[in-house]
């Protein structure tokens, strides 16, 4: 039988992290396995070896990413890719590719980076990116990429002993429409991807909306540097995003146990699950915590900043307004996306018999269906290999051929 999610630690799966800061040579846990550097780390270097050739002056961002991944998936291996922005991203696609990747810092959007993210999607890698920490103020055009899963932030608290999640007010959210006003002016616009079309809560039908999902972003404890004491009040979507990458390692460990492939590019299946909230086959409520459900808009919104540019187009005057930019609501919203994951999402994404069926396509004598974990099932005539199971034997029942994009 299939293993249950309680057994998941991310074992035998790796999470890839880019680093513009030096990180190799620092004494990390044993599952901090590999480092690839464009200059001083030729080949495969053991980052647990403090005498390695890599510089030993890590920055706080990568430290945070590592801690958050291991907090979610303590058994996962972590591979850090040092180098320039483009080099680090490119190596994540080509050198020991991990099935789950994370980017927590601003990088900016370019055609080169978009093509790398497309490569991630094409070869079955889940790429998570922080939505930013300035509310509706968008500094990084890459948050509009249709090939990234953008992660917003929440605040987890307990009311009368019961857990409650609300939007972290500084969490980034918005619409990738070239941001004509204020400090976000000039960010490249991104067309609305197909998986957002027709989604209740998505604004308009022309431009990419974000975030896609959310995770806790406030009151976190982590090291800000190797020698520093722990910061008990840490916050930021740069913590939320690696937590999602670690979560996906748990999912893909279960997929391996159940004989399935990795989830791959996550957005199509996450949105497909989200859309079931409004159908008769709802698996959304068992898969996500809906941040806006039943809470109203009080203290549950993305903040709005009123900013101006100086003559050099630098952001110099920013003020937090009292008017929310985007409020959380039922289902998808620009404050928290679909919300934060429940354990049920692991079961849904790692099931060999997922529910529901999302799409069906019929041929002349065969039929294929896409299930809600991105798997494809086919049955019927197979005389010309239509079923894709490596044979030409016809089946009058569902064949056990499963594949992932």
């Amino acid at each position: 039988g299939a293993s249950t999610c309680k057994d998941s630690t991310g074992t035998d799966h790796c999470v890839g992290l880019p680093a513009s800061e030096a990180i190799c040579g620092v004494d990390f846990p044993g599952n901090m396995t590999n480092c690839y550097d464009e200059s001083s780390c030729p080949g495969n270097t053991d980052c647990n070896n403090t005498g390695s050739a890599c510089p030993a002056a890590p920055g706080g961002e990568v430290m945070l990413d590592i801690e958050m991944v291991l907090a979610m998936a303590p058994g996962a291996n972590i591979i850090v890719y040092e180098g320039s922005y483009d080099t680090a991203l490119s190596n994540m696609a080509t050198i020991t590719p991990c099935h789950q990747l994370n980017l927590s810092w601003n990088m900016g959007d370019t055609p080169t980076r978009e093509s790398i993210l497309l490569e991630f999607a094409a070869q079955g890698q889940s790429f998570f990116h922080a939505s930013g920490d300035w509310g509706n103020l968008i500094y990084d055009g890459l948050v509009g990429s249709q090939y990234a899963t953008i992660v917003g932030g929440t605040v987890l608290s307990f009311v009368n002993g019961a857990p409650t999640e609300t939007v972290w007010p500084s969490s980034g959210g918005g619409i990738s429409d070239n941001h004509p006003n204020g400090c976000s002016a000039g960010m490249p616009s991104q067309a609305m991807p197909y998986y957002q079309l027709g989604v209740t809560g998505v604004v308009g039908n022309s431009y990419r909306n974000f975030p896609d999902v959310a995770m806790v972003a406030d009151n976190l404890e982590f090291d800000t540097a190797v020698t520093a004491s722990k910061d008990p009040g840490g916050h930021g979507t740069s913590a939320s995003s690696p937590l999602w990458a670690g979560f996906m390692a748990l999912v893909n460990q279960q997929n391996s146990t159940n004989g399935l492939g990795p989830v791959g590019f996550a957005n199509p299946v996450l949105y497909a699950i989200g859309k079931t909230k409004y159908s008769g086959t709802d698996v959304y409520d068992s898969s996500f915590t809906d941040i806006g459900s039943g809470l109203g808009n009080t203290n549950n919104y993305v903040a709005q900043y009123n900013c101006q540019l100086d003559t050099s187009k630098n952001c110099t005057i920013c003020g937090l307004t009292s008017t929310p930019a985007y409020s959380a609501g039922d289902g998808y919203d620009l404050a928290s996306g679909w919300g934060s994951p429940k354990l049920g999402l692991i079961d849904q994404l790692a099931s060999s018999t997922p529910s529901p069926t999302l799409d069906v396509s019929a041929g002349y004598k065969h039929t294929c269906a896409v299930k809600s974990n991105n798997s494809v099932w086919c049955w019927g005539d197979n005389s010309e290999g239509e079923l894709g199971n490596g044979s030409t034997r016809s089946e009058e029942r569902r064949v056990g051929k499963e594949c992932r994009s």
Side-chain angles (χ1 to χ4, degrees):
S3 177
T4 60
C5 62
K6 69 180 181 180
D7 304 312
S8 296
T9 63
T11 300
D12 297 327
H13 287 267
C14 65
V15 177
L17 306 170
S20 60
E21 313 138 314
I23 197 73
C24 295
V26 179
D27 190 11
F28 281 105
N31 50 358
M32 172 70 184
T33 53
N34 297 322
C35 176
Y36 296 97
D37 182 278
E38 64 177 337
S39 57
S40 57
C41 273
N44 185 335
T45 300
D46 181 0
C47 279
N48 197 40
N49 178 7
T50 57
S52 71
C54 298
E61 188 62 74
V62 179
M63 287 288 295
L64 168 61
D65 291 352
I66 293 168
E67 288 199 59
M68 293 300 101
V69 170
L70 294 180
M72 180 64 72
N77 292 324
I78 296 179
I79 298 181
V80 175
Y81 299 83
E82 284 187 355
S84 66
Y85 291 168
D86 291 349
T87 296
L89 280 181
S90 179
N91 287 344
M92 289 165 73
T94 57
I95 303 178
T96 315
C98 296
H99 287 128
Q100 36 279 319
L101 309 170
N102 175 70
L103 173 64
S104 291
W105 27 274
N106 295 340
M107 181 177 286
D109 196 12
T110 67
T112 296
R113 291 165 196 165
E114 277 294 310
S115 67
I116 295 173
L117 267 59
L118 174 58
E119 186 175 1
F120 293 157
Q123 60 190 26
Q125 294 174 282
S126 303
F127 179 76
F128 299 93
H129 184 20
S131 70
D133 299 347
W134 289 88
N136 67 316
L137 188 61
I138 304 164
Y139 280 104
D140 185 3
L142 204 58
V143 297
S145 173
Q146 64 174 306
Y147 303 117
T149 301
I150 308 303
V151 183
T154 67
V155 178
L156 179 62
S157 58
F158 288 84
V159 178
N160 297 325
T164 300
E165 264 187 287
T166 55
V167 177
W168 182 51
S170 293
S171 179
I175 304 168
S176 183
D177 59 355
N178 202 36
H179 319 293
N181 300 314
C183 297
S184 300
M187 287 295 181
S189 60
Q190 295 276 6
M192 179 171 287
Y194 70 92
Y195 50 80
Q196 288 192 323
L197 293 171
V199 172
T200 301
V202 165
V203 178
N205 56 14
S206 298
Y207 299 105
R208 170 80 155 100
N209 285 214
F210 65 92
D212 300 304
V213 291
M215 186 76 89
V216 62
D218 198 21
N219 296 321
L220 298 167
E221 182 178 280
F222 52 81
D223 284 322
T224 54
V226 172
T227 59
S229 59
K230 288 188 177 294
D231 178 1
H235 54 256
T237 57
S238 53
S240 312
S241 187
L243 284 170
W244 256 97
F247 181 84
M248 191 57 70
L250 305 183
V251 172
N252 283 329
Q253 179 189 351
Q254 286 303 300
N255 275 321
S256 296
T257 300
N258 296 340
L260 304 173
V263 171
F265 178 42
N267 285 7
V269 65
L270 296 178
Y271 276 80
I273 291 172
K275 289 178 181 178
T276 68
K277 180 177 177 66
Y278 311 104
S279 71
T281 54
D282 181 12
V283 295
Y284 169 77
D285 288 335
S286 63
S287 301
F288 285 93
T289 296
D290 189 349
I291 306 304
S293 181
L295 295 176
N297 296 332
T298 303
N299 297 323
N300 201 21
Y301 59 85
V302 165
Q304 180 161 303
Y305 287 80
N306 183 17
C307 299
Q308 300 176 20
L309 303 178
D310 63 18
T311 55
S312 299
K313 295 190 180 300
N314 294 316
C315 194
T316 58
I317 305 174
C318 278
L320 179 61
T321 72
S322 59
T323 303
Y326 308 109
S327 296
D330 289 346
Y332 181 86
D333 54 68
L334 291 173
S336 61
W338 288 109
S340 60
K342 293 180 178 178
L343 287 177
L345 184 59
I346 297 180
D347 296 329
Q348 186 65 28
L349 294 175
S351 173
S352 59
T353 56
S355 174
T357 297
L358 303 178
D359 196 10
V360 176
S361 179
Y364 178 55
K365 291 184 178 180
H366 77 286
T367 303
C368 291
V370 179
K371 302 292 282 186
S372 62
N373 67 347
N374 266 6
S375 61
V376 178
W377 298 82
C378 299
W379 62 95
D381 182 74
N382 196 33
S383 58
E384 298 183 8
E386 295 98 321
L387 303 184
N389 62 359
S391 75
T392 56
R393 185 183 65 195
S394 296
E395 300 277 358
E396 293 184 354
R397 57 180 175 82
R398 184 181 67 189
V399 298
K401 179 64 180 176
E402 184 272 344
C403 62
R404 295 283 177 88
S405 59

